Amino acid sequence: MRFKFPLMAIGLEVAIIILFFFYVEYETDQTTNQQLNRTNATGADRSMELYPLFQDVHVMIFVGFGFLMTFLKKYGFSSVGINLLIAALGLQWGTLVQGLLHSHGHTVHVGINSMINADFSTATVLISFGAVLGKTSPIQMLIMAIIEITVFAGNEYLVAEQFKASDVGASMTIHAFGAYFGLTVAGVLYRPRLKNGHENEESVYHSDLFAMIGTLFLWVFWPSFNSAIAGTTEGQVRAIVNTYFSLAACVLTAYAFSSLVDPRGRLDMVHIQNATLAGGVAVGTCADMKIHPYGSMIIGSVAGLVSVIGFKFLTPFFASRLRIQDTCGVHNLHGLPGLVGGLAGIVAVALGASDKSTTAMQAAAVGSSIGTALVGGLITGLILKIPILGQPSDEQCYDDSVYWEVPRWREHDRHFHEPIIHKQLEPEL
Amino acid sequence: MRFKFPLMAIGLEVAIIILFFFYVEYETDQTTNQQLNRTNATGADRSMELYPLFQDVHVMIFVGFGFLMTFLKKYGFSSVGINLLIAALGLQWGTLVQGLLHSHGHTVHVGINSMINADFSTATVLISFGAVLGKTSPIQMLIMAIIEITVFAGNEYLVAEQFKASDVGASMTIHAFGAYFGLTVAGVLYRPRLKNGHENEESVYHSDLFAMIGTLFLWVFWPSFNSAIAGTTEGQVRAIVNTYFSLAACVLTAYAFSSLVDPRGRLDMVHIQNATLAGGVAVGTCADMKIHPYGSMIIGSVAGLVSVIGFKFLTPFFASRLRIQDTCGVHNLHGLPGLVGGLAGIVAVALGASDKSTTAMQAAAVGSSIGTALVGGLITGLILKIPILGQPSDEQCYDDSVYWEVPRWREHDRHFHEPIIHKQLEPEL
Amino acid sequence: MRFKFPLMAIGLEVAIIILFFFYVEYETDQTTNQQLNRTNATGADRSMELYPLFQDVHVMIFVGFGFLMTFLKKYGFSSVGINLLIAALGLQWGTLVQGLLHSHGHTVHVGINSMINADFSTATVLISFGAVLGKTSPIQMLIMAIIEITVFAGNEYLVAEQFKASDVGASMTIHAFGAYFGLTVAGVLYRPRLKNGHENEESVYHSDLFAMIGTLFLWVFWPSFNSAIAGTTEGQVRAIVNTYFSLAACVLTAYAFSSLVDPRGRLDMVHIQNATLAGGVAVGTCADMKIHPYGSMIIGSVAGLVSVIGFKFLTPFFASRLRIQDTCGVHNLHGLPGLVGGLAGIVAVALGASDKSTTAMQAAAVGSSIGTALVGGLITGLILKIPILGQPSDEQCYDDSVYWEVPRWREHDRHFHEPIIHKQLEPEL
């Protein structure tokens, strides 16, 4: 850590500023209207209409994802802190890569619309971060952010511009992509000595409550995530309504199956923190389509069910047989529900809920998102294996103190309540 | 819990999806404009103007109410988790019941406006949940949600459509209703063996801080709650301004009287968490009326005072004499301030601050809200007494571990710092 | 505390209500359009467009500032609680003082715009509160709020109306002003016996996580803070974009330098909680100017660097040599970055990024903000030294229990895990 991390962070920031100098400008009214496919009114006014949705997404990225991962008893600083670092780097890099792809190398125009898309691009890395949480260094995460966002932008361009597939809430391009990218990286970085777990890989009571802050802000603002880039205001309202009902239905099945899979019928906080959100992921692809409110509730119900089953049965299987240690269970929150979303999109298009896309193109989008994730994740994993990148040893996993100054006492340290020597107050002069 | 809870949750979700299939559709531009009493512009555009207010209310319901109740040291999972469950079920059921009442059994049209009202309907159950917190099972809460929202929708229909009474911020129809409903249930479920308290019925330092997350998000977004369904934009702005000043004034009197009623002049966290919000409740009925900013500050000041006095003197009296154990003190946050709001509404209408309602109709609305709450609460309490509904024993009260898998260590468990056996790391293969 | 504090709080509230009775009314459409410099559309509609930005600022003031200061292990109640008290009083007083200055003593019209400015005025006191955190009584803070907001409103009037200087995000008039005001008060209230620290002046693991709630909500909503009072919608969008990129760049340098200044390369939570926000402060003055996205990133990068260096080297120097004990390091988050913002404003105006202000007037605004802060802070400090205001003794510093009822157990108390006598459950009657 001593010099590699700070020099890398400074180097990346300097490079990005230089690229911004050459390529990035404010959008004007004209560019706004082009981006939003609108002609009337001023672009600035239209931008401000989107701003509340941007802010909701912004809270999800920094507060939602950040706190969701604080469930580990000794890894809260890293969860919320490295989440902030990744997202802050990612949104700058995402602005550049997405912008240059869409402008074909000409000037990139930034505004509220590009900020939403830049925030979206960081979500892929934050999802993948969940798969390798506790087992990687900040340096490795900076590298992953740069590579993953580049691959994501390429795939998103393919899906949206070439296939013309629908994916308004990004079930495929963000959630499935981010999950399978991260799982592949986790597979490459497999740690055989941790196959029976690690003493730090557990929660304490209050760390689980901190995680619920993340869960609830993600849950509440998910309708904004799925509707922010909808093409029309009508589609936007539909995306909000569908996500609202999908998430509500998902909560009911997540609670029901969390209780059902436990021998004593008790609820599991891991399921509540994660599976209750699967409905937002799964309804993403077809959120703006006319799938009827009951349709979105069916999608949400299935997602909640699938997610809990994944946590209960697939995660252990992944760890033992596939040698993939998925710390946050991103496969169950983003991977499987993302696939459900991709399939729901195919079905919805087949049933005529959209007139913009075809089933073949929707299927191609699923394939492309998974394919680029696996290839990108494999390459990234191999790069991250380079020994000089500061990866923690097996013993140091899931512990903030490797990369952070931690307070003398952590509530869960055994020496927390040992007598301390009271500092003498200085005598008054 | 083993099968009753999951089967009930799944059954309810399936039933709701079937009802949605037959009765619920997206609103069109036409239906939006009817709902919002507007004629110009497209309905979708109008909907999106309401969306930021919806999101504020949404945060209040899920983050605000959820975390407000995490003050108990061992009941945080249930507070924030069962709050999510109740609200997710309630908003689906509320959409149906409110919609069918207003459409007279025809197709229900859903959009941002119906989402705001559905979120509102869940608030009644969350308030009542506060009265019985720690003493009921998730199954009982599912049942209470279904019954209470049905009764609420009936009373709201009466107040708004029959009496044509004003209650924009729902002091009467949500706050007083929810409080007296919950108190009646708590009275029916009275536990004589807990009359001297329970060792788990207390906070620890950090649980009180978690509760402040709830308090602050409720406090900050309350102006949106009181203005979201105002009929005109002018009334909406007035509701925001009045609630802003009422809450601010309420904070000053809540702090003053919290200190004043303590023998040593110290502030009590229970008052700060709750009584600071009473100004939002009490100004609700007349929030959109021309009561002048100083008028709203008088209402807020009185509410803060009344609420602290309630916590200090009425709650012990309720527990000992009326045999009503009000865990969160909802009578002091929602009951009394709701009545203050109802009275303030009568006075404001009498003074000519509104041209839509009459004092007789405002008084009828107070009576109807309390009356339906008492009858509804009584019936609900008797149903919840049915022994098979999984109610915890007296010893199990206020403890998550009855219905949740809790971490091996909770910070406040006495064995928290006992030596643990470190898991052996597997030797490298 | 016994009677002084409650009587003072009640007295202030009564006085404010009387002043509101004589001077404050709702704004009408006409007054709104005047305030917002707009002519078309209804004022109420325009107000509602600003409302989402107001709500973001509102969250920053009450949740952001409140939780940011909860990092101390035993001072969380006071941080979040006295923050609420100060802000609730301050927004009422700010409404009056700002309004009367701008209306030249005539009727003050309140609406969303005045609410944003009133919230802004409280930020100055909350910043100063950070400098004296843990060493003052609630009574002292009520007095500071009244004086500081009055001085702030005077200086702001000078800067905006007389100098016509640009300061859209208030780097000078809020951040530098609040910091130097608070530092001067802290200097006057210097406690020589605490020069080697205090055993309570440290964090525990979870108190640092609570503080991150504050950090993240401030970080996420800062673009709204810097853009809320921009004169045109175009300037508003630019202020949002510039703040977004300034903050992102700031995170990278804050992390880099936090690691660089540590002998073992570890990150310091104090830096992450505070220095990551310096980019929002520093870009404030020129946020709505055409400084180009890369320009805002340079400002943010410098701010992150300067802030960490300040924490590492200046804070100890201030405490030992200047006899100023700055509890939260507000000099590093608000003072220095505020000055960077003032200088950036001068440079930007010199380079032609604004056509409204001149370099001389920008420089005058910096001087006036620092000057009034030093004089106002000195007078306030001397008043707060009056012995009857309940200031805690040196031993009582940084401990909630002086002014609050605290739970029997705090997680960090050594007796936390001592056996407790279980209350007997009453036998069933």
Side-chain angles (χ1 to χ4, degrees):
Chain A
M1 277 288 272
R2 190 66 188 96
F3 292 110
K4 277 179 219 158
F5 169 73
L7 294 183
M8 181 165 202
I10 294 168
L12 282 169
E13 190 55 48
V14 170
I16 287 172
I17 291 177
I18 293 170
L19 288 167
F20 264 62
F21 175 79
F22 285 113
Y23 286 110
V24 181
E25 246 336 303
Y26 305 117
E27 69 184 8
T28 58
D29 278 4
Q30 207 189 346
T31 54
T32 312
N33 279 327
Q34 279 170 5
Q35 283 196 311
L36 301 178
N37 288 319
R38 270 148 176 171
T39 49
N40 55 342
T42 71
D45 281 344
R46 287 291 178 191
S47 282
M48 287 311 292
E49 288 175 19
L50 273 181
Y51 184 61
L53 283 87
F54 160 74
Q55 274 298 2
D56 295 350
V57 171
H58 214 39
V59 170
M60 292 174 74
I61 296 293
F62 290 89
V63 179
F65 279 103
F67 272 98
L68 183 63
M69 295 186 279
T70 57
F71 68 102
L72 289 171
K73 66 179 181 180
K74 293 186 177 178
Y75 210 64
F77 288 9
S78 300
S79 297
V80 83
I82 305 303
N83 186 84
L84 170 59
L85 176 67
I86 291 173
L89 170 66
L91 68 87
Q92 299 178 66
W93 185 248
T95 302
L96 270 173
V97 182
Q98 291 179 315
L100 287 169
L101 263 173
H102 285 275
S103 74
H104 302 286
H106 296 101
T107 304
V108 175
H109 292 98
V110 294
I112 311 298
N113 204 47
S114 77
M115 286 161 60
I116 293 172
N117 282 301
D119 268 30
F120 277 179
S121 76
T122 70
T124 58
V125 196
L126 302 179
I127 292 166
S128 303
F129 179 43
V132 298
L133 192 78
K135 299 168 295 191
T136 48
S137 71
I139 302 173
Q140 289 178 305
M141 290 303 95
L142 293 179
I143 296 171
M144 187 168 86
I146 296 293
I147 305 177
E148 182 164 2
I149 285 173
T150 311
V151 180
F152 157 76
N155 178 57
E156 190 208 28
Y157 185 79
L158 204 65
V159 166
E161 303 293 322
Q162 301 301 315
F163 301 157
K164 309 272 182 204
S166 288
D167 196 24
V168 69
S171 306
M172 302 180 286
T173 51
I174 291 179
H175 295 289
F177 176 89
Y180 290 104
F181 193 105
L183 291 167
T184 312
V185 172
V188 176
L189 301 182
Y190 179 65
R191 291 170 181 265
R193 295 177 68 215
L194 299 188
K195 76 175 174 193
N196 293 327
H198 188 293
E199 60 159 322
N200 290 337
E201 201 183 1
E202 64 180 15
S203 64
V204 288
Y205 194 64
H206 284 166
S207 68
D208 269 329
L209 276 177
F210 278 114
M212 281 303 289
I213 300 173
T215 299
L216 289 177
F217 278 104
L218 288 169
W219 199 91
V220 160
F221 288 138
W222 213 294
S224 301
F225 191 97
N226 281 356
S227 67
I229 57 164
T232 65
T233 311
E234 276 220 332
Q236 204 161 42
V237 173
R238 247 190 333 261
I240 289 167
V241 170
N242 285 331
T243 309
Y244 179 74
F245 285 117
S246 176
L247 282 166
C250 173
V251 167
L252 271 283
T253 55
Y255 273 76
F257 283 88
S258 179
S259 168
L260 211 50
V261 299
D262 182 72
R264 292 180 302 183
R266 297 191 185 180
L267 298 165
D268 187 328
M269 208 56 180
V270 172
H271 304 157
I272 304 313
Q273 284 158 1
N274 292 280
T276 53
L277 298 167
V281 174
V283 84
T285 296
C286 53
D288 60 346
M289 300 182 196
K290 291 173 183 167
I291 55 174
H292 305 288
Y294 78 87
S296 59
M297 291 160 95
I298 292 173
I299 294 173
S301 302
V302 170
L305 186 166
V306 161
S307 186
V308 170
I309 300 297
F311 273 104
K312 186 73 183 179
F313 302 108
L314 274 185
T315 296
F317 173 81
F318 269 53
S320 59
R321 298 300 168 87
L322 302 186
R323 303 168 69 93
I324 295 173
Q325 294 152 334
D326 178 6
T327 311
C328 295
V330 300
H331 188 244
N332 314 305
L333 170 48
H334 302 279
L336 281 179
L339 288 184
V340 170
L343 294 175
I346 295 173
V347 172
V349 168
L351 294 174
S354 165
D355 47 9
K356 289 189 302 189
S357 180
T358 66
T359 55
M361 289 299 114
Q362 291 296 124
V366 176
S368 155
S369 299
I370 307 294
T372 51
L374 296 178
V375 174
L378 183 65
I379 295 169
T380 305
L382 293 171
I383 292 173
L384 298 193
K385 265 186 112 73
I386 299 172
I388 58 163
L389 299 181
Q391 199 174 341
S393 70
D394 289 348
E395 284 77 9
Q396 293 169 327
C397 280
Y398 313 108
D399 193 331
D400 283 331
S401 61
V402 190
Y403 304 113
W404 295 81
E405 289 291 330
V406 295
R408 284 189 298 164
W409 290 281
R410 286 185 290 190
E411 287 79 345
H412 29 63
D413 290 343
R414 252 160 309 132
H415 57 82
F416 185 65
H417 289 286
E418 280 167 20
I420 54 172
I421 295 106
H422 283 243
K423 283 186 194 132
Q424 289 293 125
L425 290 174
E426 291 275 316
E428 193 115 30
L429 298 179
Chain B
M1 276 289 273
R2 190 65 188 97
F3 293 109
K4 278 178 218 158
F5 168 74
L7 294 184
M8 181 165 203
I10 294 169
L12 282 170
E13 189 55 49
V14 170
I16 287 172
I17 291 177
I18 293 170
L19 288 167
F20 264 63
F21 175 79
F22 286 112
Y23 287 110
V24 181
E25 244 338 302
Y26 305 118
E27 68 185 8
T28 58
D29 278 5
Q30 206 188 345
T31 54
T32 313
N33 279 328
Q34 279 170 4
Q35 283 197 312
L36 300 178
N37 288 318
R38 270 149 176 169
T39 50
N40 55 342
T42 71
D45 281 345
R46 287 291 178 190
S47 282
M48 288 310 293
E49 288 176 19
L50 273 181
Y51 184 61
L53 283 88
F54 160 73
Q55 274 298 3
D56 295 349
V57 172
H58 214 38
V59 170
M60 291 174 75
I61 296 293
F62 290 89
V63 179
F65 280 102
F67 273 99
L68 183 62
M69 294 186 280
T70 57
F71 69 102
L72 289 171
K73 65 180 183 182
K74 292 186 176 178
Y75 211 63
F77 288 9
S78 300
S79 297
V80 82
I82 305 304
N83 186 84
L84 170 59
L85 176 67
I86 292 173
L89 170 66
L91 69 87
Q92 300 177 67
W93 185 247
T95 301
L96 271 173
V97 182
Q98 291 179 316
L100 287 170
L101 263 173
H102 285 274
S103 74
H104 302 286
H106 296 101
T107 304
V108 174
H109 292 98
V110 294
I112 310 297
N113 204 48
S114 77
M115 286 161 60
I116 292 172
N117 282 302
D119 268 30
F120 277 0
S121 77
T122 70
T124 59
V125 197
L126 303 179
I127 292 166
S128 302
F129 179 43
V132 298
L133 192 78
K135 299 168 296 191
T136 48
S137 72
I139 302 172
Q140 289 178 305
M141 291 302 95
L142 293 179
I143 296 170
M144 187 169 86
I146 296 294
I147 304 176
E148 182 164 3
I149 286 173
T150 310
V151 180
F152 157 77
N155 178 57
E156 191 207 28
Y157 185 79
L158 205 65
V159 167
E161 304 293 322
Q162 301 301 316
F163 302 158
K164 309 272 183 204
S166 288
D167 196 24
V168 69
S171 306
M172 303 179 286
T173 51
I174 292 178
H175 295 288
F177 175 89
Y180 290 104
F181 192 107
L183 291 167
T184 311
V185 173
V188 177
L189 300 182
Y190 180 64
R191 291 169 181 267
R193 294 178 67 217
L194 298 189
K195 76 174 175 193
N196 293 326
H198 188 293
E199 61 160 322
N200 290 337
E201 200 184 0
E202 63 179 15
S203 64
V204 288
Y205 194 64
H206 284 166
S207 68
D208 268 329
L209 276 176
F210 278 114
M212 281 304 289
I213 299 173
T215 298
L216 290 176
F217 277 104
L218 287 169
W219 200 93
V220 161
F221 288 137
W222 213 292
S224 300
F225 191 96
N226 281 356
S227 67
I229 58 164
T232 65
T233 312
E234 276 221 331
Q236 203 161 42
V237 173
R238 245 189 334 261
I240 289 167
V241 170
N242 285 332
T243 309
Y244 179 74
F245 286 118
S246 176
L247 282 165
C250 172
V251 167
L252 271 284
T253 55
Y255 273 77
F257 282 89
S258 178
S259 169
L260 212 50
V261 299
D262 183 72
R264 292 179 302 182
R266 297 190 187 181
L267 299 166
D268 187 329
M269 208 56 178
V270 172
H271 305 156
I272 304 313
Q273 285 159 1
N274 292 280
T276 53
L277 298 166
V281 173
V283 84
T285 296
C286 53
D288 60 345
M289 300 181 195
K290 291 174 183 167
I291 55 173
H292 306 287
Y294 78 87
S296 59
M297 292 159 94
I298 292 173
I299 293 172
S301 302
V302 170
L305 186 166
V306 161
S307 186
V308 170
I309 300 298
F311 273 105
K312 185 71 182 179
F313 303 108
L314 274 185
T315 297
F317 173 80
F318 269 52
S320 59
R321 299 299 169 88
L322 302 187
R323 303 168 70 93
I324 295 172
Q325 294 152 333
D326 177 5
T327 310
C328 294
V330 301
H331 187 244
N332 314 303
L333 170 48
H334 302 280
L336 281 179
L339 289 184
V340 170
L343 294 175
I346 295 173
V347 173
V349 168
L351 294 174
S354 166
D355 46 10
K356 288 189 300 186
S357 180
T358 66
T359 55
M361 289 299 113
Q362 291 297 124
V366 175
S368 155
S369 299
I370 307 294
T372 52
L374 295 177
V375 173
L378 184 64
I379 295 168
T380 305
L382 293 172
I383 292 173
L384 298 193
K385 264 185 114 73
I386 298 171
I388 59 164
L389 299 180
Q391 199 174 342
S393 71
D394 290 347
E395 284 75 10
Q396 294 168 327
C397 280
Y398 314 110
D399 193 331
D400 284 331
S401 60
V402 190
Y403 305 112
W404 296 81
E405 288 291 330
V406 296
R408 283 190 299 165
W409 289 282
R410 286 186 289 190
E411 288 79 344
H412 28 63
D413 288 343
R414 252 161 308 130
H415 57 82
F416 184 65
H417 289 286
E418 280 167 20
I420 54 171
I421 295 105
H422 283 243
K423 284 187 194 130
Q424 287 295 124
L425 289 174
E426 292 275 316
E428 192 116 32
L429 300 179
Chain C
M1 276 290 271
R2 189 66 188 96
F3 292 109
K4 277 179 218 157
F5 168 74
L7 294 183
M8 182 165 200
I10 294 168
L12 283 169
E13 189 55 49
V14 170
I16 288 173
I17 291 177
I18 293 170
L19 288 167
F20 265 62
F21 176 79
F22 285 113
Y23 286 110
V24 181
E25 245 337 303
Y26 305 117
E27 69 184 8
T28 58
D29 278 5
Q30 205 188 345
T31 54
T32 313
N33 280 328
Q34 279 170 3
Q35 283 197 312
L36 301 178
N37 289 318
R38 270 148 176 170
T39 50
N40 55 341
T42 71
D45 281 345
R46 287 291 179 190
S47 280
M48 288 311 292
E49 287 176 20
L50 272 181
Y51 184 61
L53 283 88
F54 160 73
Q55 274 298 4
D56 295 349
V57 172
H58 215 39
V59 171
M60 292 175 74
I61 296 294
F62 289 89
V63 179
F65 280 103
F67 273 98
L68 182 63
M69 294 186 279
T70 57
F71 68 102
L72 289 170
K73 66 180 181 180
K74 292 186 177 177
Y75 212 63
F77 288 10
S78 299
S79 296
V80 83
I82 306 302
N83 186 84
L84 170 60
L85 176 67
I86 291 173
L89 169 66
L91 69 86
Q92 298 178 67
W93 186 246
T95 301
L96 270 173
V97 182
Q98 291 178 317
L100 287 170
L101 263 174
H102 285 275
S103 74
H104 302 287
H106 296 101
T107 304
V108 174
H109 291 98
V110 294
I112 311 298
N113 203 49
S114 77
M115 286 161 60
I116 293 172
N117 281 301
D119 268 30
F120 277 180
S121 76
T122 70
T124 58
V125 196
L126 303 180
I127 292 166
S128 303
F129 179 43
V132 297
L133 192 78
K135 298 168 296 190
T136 48
S137 72
I139 302 172
Q140 290 178 305
M141 290 302 95
L142 292 179
I143 297 171
M144 188 168 86
I146 296 294
I147 304 177
E148 182 165 2
I149 286 174
T150 311
V151 180
F152 158 76
N155 177 57
E156 191 208 27
Y157 185 79
L158 205 66
V159 167
E161 302 293 322
Q162 301 301 316
F163 301 158
K164 310 270 182 204
S166 288
D167 196 24
V168 70
S171 307
M172 302 179 287
T173 52
I174 292 178
H175 295 288
F177 176 88
Y180 290 104
F181 192 106
L183 292 167
T184 311
V185 173
V188 177
L189 300 182
Y190 180 65
R191 290 169 182 265
R193 294 176 67 215
L194 299 188
K195 76 175 176 192
N196 293 327
H198 188 294
E199 61 160 321
N200 289 338
E201 202 184 358
E202 64 180 14
S203 63
V204 289
Y205 194 65
H206 284 166
S207 68
D208 269 329
L209 276 177
F210 278 114
M212 281 303 289
I213 298 173
T215 299
L216 289 176
F217 277 104
L218 287 170
W219 200 92
V220 160
F221 289 138
W222 213 293
S224 300
F225 191 96
N226 281 357
S227 67
I229 57 164
T232 65
T233 312
E234 275 221 332
Q236 204 161 43
V237 173
R238 249 191 330 263
I240 290 167
V241 170
N242 285 332
T243 308
Y244 179 74
F245 286 117
S246 176
L247 282 166
C250 173
V251 168
L252 271 284
T253 56
Y255 272 76
F257 282 89
S258 179
S259 168
L260 211 50
V261 299
D262 182 72
R264 293 179 303 183
R266 297 191 186 180
L267 298 166
D268 187 327
M269 208 57 179
V270 172
H271 304 156
I272 303 313
Q273 284 159 0
N274 292 280
T276 53
L277 299 166
V281 173
V283 84
T285 297
C286 52
D288 60 346
M289 300 182 195
K290 292 175 181 166
I291 55 173
H292 305 287
Y294 78 86
S296 60
M297 292 161 94
I298 292 174
I299 293 172
S301 302
V302 170
L305 186 166
V306 161
S307 186
V308 170
I309 300 297
F311 273 105
K312 186 71 182 180
F313 303 108
L314 274 185
T315 296
F317 173 81
F318 269 51
S320 59
R321 298 299 169 87
L322 301 186
R323 304 167 70 94
I324 295 172
Q325 293 152 333
D326 178 5
T327 311
C328 294
V330 299
H331 187 244
N332 313 305
L333 170 47
H334 301 280
L336 282 178
L339 289 183
V340 170
L343 294 175
I346 295 173
V347 172
V349 168
L351 294 175
S354 166
D355 46 10
K356 289 189 301 186
S357 179
T358 66
T359 55
M361 289 300 114
Q362 292 296 125
V366 176
S368 154
S369 298
I370 307 293
T372 51
L374 295 178
V375 174
L378 184 64
I379 294 168
T380 306
L382 292 171
I383 293 173
L384 299 193
K385 264 186 114 73
I386 298 171
I388 58 164
L389 300 180
Q391 198 174 339
S393 71
D394 290 347
E395 283 76 10
Q396 294 169 327
C397 280
Y398 313 110
D399 193 331
D400 283 331
S401 61
V402 190
Y403 304 113
W404 296 80
E405 288 292 330
V406 295
R408 284 189 300 164
W409 289 280
R410 285 185 290 190
E411 288 78 344
H412 28 64
D413 289 343
R414 251 161 310 132
H415 57 81
F416 185 65
H417 288 286
E418 279 167 21
I420 53 172
I421 296 106
H422 283 243
K423 283 186 195 132
Q424 287 294 124
L425 290 174
E426 291 276 316
E428 194 115 28
L429 299 180

